[in-house]
Amino acid sequence: MAAQPNLAASSSSSGPLFASVGGSRLRQTQAAATKPIPVLDLPALQAASQLLQEQLVKDSQIIPDLGDLISGSPSSASYTVFPDDYRAPFQKRRHIGIPESLWQYYTSTNLATHMGLLPDIDRVWIAIDHNLFLWDYVDGQELSSFVDQPDVITHVALVKPKSGVFIDEITSLLVLCTPVTVLLIGVSTTPVPGPNNQMRKEIKLYATDMSVTCDVEMSAVIGTPDGRIFMAGSQDGNLYELHYQEKEGWFGKRVQLINHSVGGMQSLLPRIGASNADDRIISLVSDAARDCFYSLTAKNTISVWKTNGEKHVQHLQTISNLYKATQDKAPGSPALAPQSFSIAALHVIDPSESRSGVQLMALTYNGVRLYFSPGSAYGWSASAASGFRSLSLAHVRLPPPNLIHPDEQSNSYRGGAGAYGIGPSQQQPTSRPYIVSSLENTCYDLGITIGVQRGDVADTDYLLCMAPDLTQIGSMGQLRGSQAQQPQPQYVGHGYGATSAVASRVPLTERATLIPMSGLTWASAPVPRSKYSVATTAPANTPAPLFTNELATQFSEPARQYIFLTNGGLHWIVKRRAVDALKEAVEEFQVENNAQPLIDLHDSYGRDQTCAMLLAIASGNTFLDPMVQSPVGSMSRVSSELSGVARRAFYDFGQRPSWSERVTYGTSEGSGTVTFSGRREGFALYFARLVRPFWKVKLTKPGAHGLQELGVSDDILVIAQKNLFALKELLDTNPLLFHSAPGDHTGARSATGSEQEAWKAEQSSVSQLLSLLSRTIEAISFLLLLSDHRLGQLISQCDGEVQKLVSALTFEDLITVDKGVTASRALVNVIINQQIGQQISVDTISEVLQQRCGSFCSTDDVMLYKARSENIRRSVETRNPTERQTWLGESLRLFMKGARNLEFEKLREICGDYQQLNYAKGAVELPLHCAQTFDTNLQGQEYWLAGCPESDPRSQFWERRKRCYELVLDSLAVFEERCVPGKQSSSLSDEPETIRGHAYELAFASEDEIFHSTLYDWLIERSMADELLEMRPAYLEAHLRREPVTVEKFQLLWKFYVKDGQPLRAAEVLAILAESTNFNLPLDSRLEYLTLAVGNAKSHPVSVGGRHETAIAFLTDLEEKLEVAQVQLELFNALLPRQHEPDMIESFKTLSSRLYNITELYQNWAEPLDLPLVKLLILHVSQHRDESIVRPIWNKMFEEAIEGFEPKVAADRILAKVIPLGQRYYPSDSAFPLQHIASLLVRFSLTHKGDIPYGWTPRILVQCGVPYPEVWDILHEMYESQVPPFNEQANVQAISSDIAVLLTDWIEDAKRPQSVTSRGDFPVFRIDQAVEQYLAELEPGRTETKTAYEAIKRQLRRHW
């Protein structure tokens, strides 16, 4: 398969936006792959992202920590050894000879020669006498030289310089050691294109004029991260520091050599610090991660040191007696003998390999490894620094006892098919195991140990290579013991000194092999991890795999390589990964049709891991080739046949999903869980590993000049995108990879219900992953595009909120959450505006954006940009009103089409533009349209209809609607203000009144009831209620009736009904208002509302078949309530003077809170407070006739008027009380019992005959409104009754005198023209006869009364 085309544009910061994306084929594929989707399904993307997170967590857990592997027992010797190199963990891959010119110089002289490796700058150093040569082994022939010093060079090291001492270009220092001097040379490196599409480092050497003479020759040079340089004296074994500074100082030279072994330490540590040639320091190792370094002496003593201020070091610990400690851990091991126990090298264990704290490994010459971790120390320890935990020997790793001699590996059964198919009978007998005894030039790199053993063949070395056997120590769902059944691997485990209890933890098992290498080895070193490898160092919030877990990193970085420098040149040894072995097994099946290796690898690594690797092979992962890749990581060339075999194996090994049913007890309903197939798991796992380098990384990080820059390098994103795109293309062109096979009897059509559920769940999950895959590819394109156009400047042009948002986002957030969508839109807007500023049309820009990252710039987005950037701009520029309206209308159409992607702040700006342009239609209709669009599921509308309950999740949708409505109201307010004299804008010629009127027409024409309600409230607040009532718009009645009701709404509602010709409805509203307990209304207001209600109810027209009968009943009820309300008001007024009395406060407050019925008023106030006048009023209104109630009231009133007063004063008091009440209540017997009152008056007058004039009683009754005939009847009845006190003649004669006055007044009244009694109705005959009787029975002494009667007779005869 040809290399995939480049998916991203050049990473140059000034490249054109429209640079070729990489060929027509890619354009077509991408155009198909990135069609703008209508709406991003963020929940689906988040579900897929969560699945990736689960896979990343698994990766961080499947391989145990080194500390866990070695903590189960004090020692171990478990190794897997293969008798051939087919599945050997290491392979020789490359050899380069020393350049011819250098070789000739080397062989033609007998001068002292030393060599070494400087892998950080891709150089071999070769010192021939005083001449230093630096050989660029990437280029192959490039040589640099340094000959400007006279002494023999014995040792060269590369260290990091101190900051601020040298020019910025110098990134490292060469330390040159001669027997008499140490000098520093500055080095700068520049990456330049090299052979085979690789980058090489061009170096420049700078003279520093820093050198120092020394008495002893220096070796074992190391540097610290802060630029300090330490070394050991070859002769005295002391610890030295080469101190250098920028300038000479008062207290120190510019460069000097400090002996830390005999400095201040000597007095403190006389035995250890003193110079001792017998136990001199022979090796130094720097531990940058823990900010310390270690020293090793000739007698196997290890010390730990820490820098402690300028020119000072602190000795933290010394570990001695290691042979005894080792023997204690592994007693009886043949590898441990006093005479052969000697440590060859110390190697630092990186924290990324062991989270549990295993810190240091010491390797002996015969291959025993001693692991140290913090704990109780063996040997003597100095006073340690605070926080430092002393190291102790944690585990002894014995050498492999079953190594096969390299000569025996090159036998006949190295063949491909035979490698996995030989039966036990075919196994060749092996000679005794090969035992290593003198390892040199060892290197250790993230779990892999390599050492050089002098071969038993002339001019040949053997490489002992050991690496963790992931198939034995990992938890990958593999079939344990599958290898044990095979004859080839020899698995040996010795636990010297182990307890009988079986350790519960998985023991450390390694693969080991011996590799022959021609030449004699001078140096070895691991190839520095590539820049891609740095990306696998995940941020803190990402579950990171251990670096020993190559399964997790093999798809995102090259294979691990090691360089060996021999007298014949450079050799590269490559660590073979699982994917390398699987690829070779696929190739073998393709060529020889032997499936056994594939099956064995599937059993060794488990279903899911195998499927993930097969996907990588089928899609041609960038890092399939174990050697270093090109800078942009071209895709591996995989033939279509090989890809086909990998696809088939992926399908077959992946198996089918299954469904586990769970039935809930007591119900008929069941639920279940799906166990996904290996295909889906492999897809998710491979996908997760490809995105791990950036998935949880912050999108940006602070860069130069205060600007932001991408959080990871462009190259890492390009490589990830290439692999993601290759994966997507593979899956798009093979859509059946995740379906059941046509001949599969358990296929979806014939499957049972549970199988169908499993397939359904699998399809759904795969679909989500595919969506995320497409979105991620586009996201990378989007970010690379931004990077090409100075991402930092683009971000700086966004508003503050967006800048904060972008700086807080991770790559995952950009792809899967709302905030990422918001940020990406803001950035697209900025880049489009930037390009428009360069006179590039929106269509041209959007075409590129949509082609490269369609989901980040949808068609809707394009419409918005076009509407804003082109149409509105043109409408501002044109002076033709018709053209302006055309452009504005087109902008409104585009904005409405793209409304769902319109952010609110952008909408606000657009409405502001429309207001400035006096475009009422846009300023009103666009936000109204957006209000509907932002609430597509009508959750905001439902929330509003439900009365806006508190703590309701739907409130956010209502708030979005409301903000849109507020924009409309703001536009109306702006147009209103322009109509105020003196505030008209002269920029545009339209009439302000016309624009305002048009804006209101559009607003009222809306069919959005919620908006109408908001609009009405706004108008009412602006004191425009009367205008609103005159218009009576469609939704006004519903708005005024809608909860929550208010007094203001009801006041408007009844007026609305009056205006609308519905007086009965107005009366109903007024009645509700008057009787409501929800409003704190004064009583007089309630009375007013009832009065208005009665008036409106009376105005209800009589109509045939209408509500006439109901209306009459309603009116009657209202009138009765009005009467009762009037009683309550009188009661209220009566109690008003007493409202502040302590026992009246609560009662008065209750009375004024609402309307009460007549019974409540009587029982709660009139009776308890003994209010006679109110009682009479209540009896009158209720028409309740009860003599036993009303008579005591009047009796008491008379008693109160009489008691303690002179008769004449009492008479006046009675008159003042009775007349008003009579005038009000007569003829109501309920409140004004006439007979009883007349009796009380007569009795009072009889009691005080001499003080009260005759006629006083009848005249009071007449003033009360009682007709003369009725008064005469009452008095006449008393005259005739003979009932006490009328059985006494004096009292009867007094009554006669009262009657005489009454009749005289009656006749005088009847004579008046305006008399209510007509002359015809006057009872002349009856009066005449009665007068005769009265005269006859009158006592002779009552002359005044007699005269009155006689005058009456004369008047009757004269006028009737």
Side-chain angles (χ1 to χ4, degrees), residues 243 245 247-256 311:
H243 176 76
Q245 57 195 34
K247 296 177 181 177
E248 297 274 350
W250 286 102
F251 302 103
K253 299 177 182 178
R254 189 169 178 228
V255 58
Q256 64 185 113
K311 301 185 183 180

Side-chain angles (χ1 to χ4, degrees), residues 64 105-106 135 206 270 292 363 583 668 759 795 934 950 1324 1355:
Y105 184 46
Y106 167 63
W135 167 32
Y206 295 83
C292 66
L363 177 61
K583 181 169 178 273
S668 59
W759 280 109
I795 293 174
F934 292 170
E950 290 184 10
V1324 179
Q1355 290 288 349

